[in-house]
Amino acid sequence: MATVPDPSPADRGRRPATPRLSIPAILGTLVLVAGSVAFGVLGPRMGQRGMRIRGIPATTLQDAVLDEIFGEPGAGGFSDVVPAGGLVDPDAERVMSVAMRDLREVLGPAVEPPALSEAGFELAGSRRLEILGVSAVRLDYRSEATGRRAVLIELADPLAFVHFDILGRQQPLVPGTRIEESVEHDPVGGLLPPIGLVMIGAEGRATVIVALGPEVAAEIADLVDPSIRVDSESAVEGVATILEGGLGPMTRS
């Protein structure tokens, strides 16, 4: 039977080699682990990491609505009750009847013109039109006290338009959506407050409200749909974070 020779005195004095630890590698690993944990805890949930959907950006809708109301830049003022060349029908019942007919043909029989008397506005006229290829009804309101007007655009397909919410998710104008924006548009040079514009998503339609002064537009929005509460962050960032560049209308299929 073979025997294992005893180690020499020199071999007995040596210690087995130990692997060296890389401090940068350890620190890098800890940073990666900490970052992964922080993203998992504080980052968006899986349901919030939505994919890009097809639709017309709400910024494009905003521009189209303002073009419809003001025409070419610098034309008209928001103290006008109706567009240039239009007439105000003094028969309130006839105005209401025509507006209900227009809304019925575009949105269905259950939709009526909003009552804005609490905000100081009365219905002055209506007409059918298309905004970016979507059927719509324009409702013009006027204030007897100030002579100023407010315009509501009722759109038949809210799913045709998209925006980003405050969590970064891309969304159509679904029921409960409310986006507020202040737009500088003063043809007389600093004598008027900015234009207030509010977009509201409702069941089967979207409403765009335009009035002189963001607070006036917000007051009208409260009357149009008092169930929607505005998140302060979305009110400030709403249109600023809306998609840039169109992708074509979204379908309901």
Side-chain angles (χ1 to χ4, degrees), residues 91-101 112-114 123 126 141:
D91 188 340
E93 292 185 1
R94 173 178 169 79
V95 169
M96 179 61 71
S97 175
V98 172
M100 291 185 66
R101 180 199 65 196
E112 298 183 358
L123 186 63
S126 67
Y141 290 79

Side-chain angles (χ1 to χ4, degrees), residues 183-205:
V183 182
E184 294 293 337
H185 185 95
D186 186 359
V188 296
L191 298 180
L192 297 175
I195 299 299
L197 186 145
V198 182
M199 298 180 188
I200 295 177
E203 187 65 38
R205 74 182 194 276

Side-chain angles (χ1 to χ4, degrees), residues 1-9 11-12:
M1 180 175 177
T3 60
V4 177
D6 292 334
S8 64
D11 292 335
R12 285 197 297 265

Side-chain angles (χ1 to χ4, degrees), residues 44-168:
R45 302 295 182 262
M46 289 301 297
Q48 299 170 359
R49 302 170 193 172
M51 297 179 62
R52 189 173 176 88
I53 60 177
R54 295 179 61 84
I56 302 171
T59 45
T60 304
L61 174 59
Q62 171 185 301
D63 293 340
V65 167
L66 294 178
D67 286 344
E68 159 64 26
I69 296 173
F70 294 101
E72 294 300 322
F78 223 77
S79 59
D80 301 328
V81 174
V82 292
L87 297 176
V88 177
D89 193 330
D91 188 340
E93 292 185 1
R94 173 178 169 79
V95 169
M96 179 61 71
S97 175
V98 172
M100 291 185 66
R101 180 199 65 196
D102 292 338
L103 290 170
R104 181 175 62 251
E105 292 177 353
V106 174
L107 301 176
V111 182
E112 298 183 358
L116 305 182
S117 56
E118 290 186 27
F121 291 91
E122 300 296 336
L123 186 63
S126 67
R127 65 184 179 90
R128 295 180 57 181
L129 69 159
E130 282 194 358
I131 300 288
L132 299 172
V134 176
S135 297
V137 176
R138 169 174 171 161
L139 301 173
D140 282 270
Y141 290 79
R142 65 176 176 178
S143 170
E144 295 286 354
T146 65
R148 291 176 177 173
R149 63 189 171 109
V151 177
L152 273 63
I153 305 291
E154 300 283 4
L155 296 147
D157 188 5
L159 300 183
F161 307 98
V162 295
H163 70 103
F164 280 123
D165 65 13
I166 59 175
L167 296 177

